[in-house]
mmCIF file of all heavy atoms in Angstrom:
data_model
loop_
_atom_site.group_PDB
_atom_site.id
_atom_site.type_symbol
_atom_site.label_atom_id
_atom_site.label_comp_id
_atom_site.label_asym_id
_atom_site.label_seq_id
_atom_site.Cartn_x
_atom_site.Cartn_y
_atom_site.Cartn_z
ATOM 1 N N ALA V 645 76.388 -2.808 -53.950
ATOM 2 C CA ALA V 645 75.444 -2.500 -55.037
ATOM 3 C C ALA V 645 74.173 -3.312 -54.932
ATOM 4 O O ALA V 645 73.090 -2.825 -55.249
ATOM 5 C CB ALA V 645 76.117 -2.742 -56.389
ATOM 6 N N SER V 663 42.356 10.616 -43.009
ATOM 7 C CA SER V 663 42.658 11.672 -42.025
ATOM 8 C C SER V 663 42.928 11.162 -40.622
ATOM 9 O O SER V 663 43.157 11.953 -39.701
ATOM 10 C CB SER V 663 41.518 12.708 -41.963
ATOM 11 O OG SER V 663 41.322 13.314 -43.237
ATOM 12 N N ARG V 684 50.075 -5.537 -40.491
ATOM 13 C CA ARG V 684 48.777 -5.696 -39.840
ATOM 14 C C ARG V 684 48.109 -4.345 -39.604
ATOM 15 O O ARG V 684 46.909 -4.173 -39.848
ATOM 16 C CB ARG V 684 48.916 -6.466 -38.527
ATOM 17 C CG ARG V 684 47.573 -6.770 -37.870
ATOM 18 C CD ARG V 684 47.708 -7.744 -36.735
ATOM 19 N NE ARG V 684 48.184 -9.044 -37.184
ATOM 20 C CZ ARG V 684 47.400 -9.991 -37.684
ATOM 21 N NH1 ARG V 684 46.092 -9.763 -37.799
ATOM 22 N NH2 ARG V 684 47.894 -11.151 -38.057
ATOM 23 N N TYR V 722 49.327 -10.802 -55.585
ATOM 24 C CA TYR V 722 48.179 -11.423 -56.250
ATOM 25 C C TYR V 722 46.889 -10.798 -55.720
ATOM 26 O O TYR V 722 46.741 -10.603 -54.514
ATOM 27 C CB TYR V 722 48.163 -12.934 -56.006
ATOM 28 C CG TYR V 722 49.343 -13.646 -56.636
ATOM 29 C CD1 TYR V 722 50.540 -13.794 -55.943
ATOM 30 C CD2 TYR V 722 49.257 -14.155 -57.927
ATOM 31 C CE1 TYR V 722 51.629 -14.432 -56.522
ATOM 32 C CE2 TYR V 722 50.337 -14.794 -58.514
ATOM 33 C CZ TYR V 722 51.526 -14.931 -57.806
ATOM 34 O OH TYR V 722 52.592 -15.550 -58.386
ATOM 35 N N LYS V 723 45.992 -10.501 -56.633
ATOM 36 C CA LYS V 723 44.714 -9.882 -56.270
ATOM 37 C C LYS V 723 43.591 -10.646 -56.940
ATOM 38 O O LYS V 723 43.594 -10.848 -58.159
ATOM 39 C CB LYS V 723 44.694 -8.416 -56.711
ATOM 40 C CG LYS V 723 43.379 -7.703 -56.436
ATOM 41 C CD LYS V 723 43.449 -6.253 -56.885
ATOM 42 C CE LYS V 723 42.142 -5.530 -56.659
ATOM 43 N NZ LYS V 723 42.207 -4.109 -57.089
ATOM 44 N N TYR V 801 32.610 -27.593 -38.343
ATOM 45 C CA TYR V 801 32.486 -26.511 -39.316
ATOM 46 C C TYR V 801 33.095 -25.225 -38.762
ATOM 47 O O TYR V 801 33.329 -25.091 -37.561
ATOM 48 C CB TYR V 801 31.021 -26.248 -39.698
ATOM 49 C CG TYR V 801 30.139 -25.789 -38.562
ATOM 50 C CD1 TYR V 801 30.137 -24.454 -38.147
ATOM 51 C CD2 TYR V 801 29.301 -26.668 -37.906
ATOM 52 C CE1 TYR V 801 29.343 -24.036 -37.113
ATOM 53 C CE2 TYR V 801 28.495 -26.251 -36.866
ATOM 54 C CZ TYR V 801 28.515 -24.927 -36.479
ATOM 55 O OH TYR V 801 27.704 -24.505 -35.439
ATOM 56 N N PRO V 887 32.877 -26.297 -53.569
ATOM 57 C CA PRO V 887 31.903 -25.524 -52.796
ATOM 58 C C PRO V 887 30.830 -24.918 -53.701
ATOM 59 O O PRO V 887 31.003 -24.800 -54.919
ATOM 60 C CB PRO V 887 32.759 -24.421 -52.167
ATOM 61 C CG PRO V 887 33.878 -24.249 -53.136
ATOM 62 C CD PRO V 887 34.161 -25.598 -53.711
ATOM 63 N N THR V 900 15.119 5.014 -44.361
ATOM 64 C CA THR V 900 14.205 4.216 -43.543
ATOM 65 C C THR V 900 14.799 2.882 -43.126
ATOM 66 O O THR V 900 14.374 2.276 -42.144
ATOM 67 C CB THR V 900 12.901 3.951 -44.288
ATOM 68 O OG1 THR V 900 13.161 3.088 -45.427
ATOM 69 C CG2 THR V 900 12.277 5.251 -44.770
ATOM 70 N N ILE V 903 14.350 -2.879 -46.590
ATOM 71 C CA ILE V 903 14.993 -3.679 -47.635
ATOM 72 C C ILE V 903 14.079 -3.693 -48.853
ATOM 73 O O ILE V 903 12.906 -4.088 -48.765
ATOM 74 C CB ILE V 903 15.281 -5.097 -47.142
ATOM 75 C CG1 ILE V 903 16.239 -5.022 -45.946
ATOM 76 C CG2 ILE V 903 15.884 -5.940 -48.251
ATOM 77 C CD1 ILE V 903 16.465 -6.331 -45.261
#
Side-chain angles (χ1 to χ4, degrees):
S663 301
R684 185 169 296 277
Y722 295 88
K723 177 179 178 180
Y801 63 80
T900 67
I903 299 173

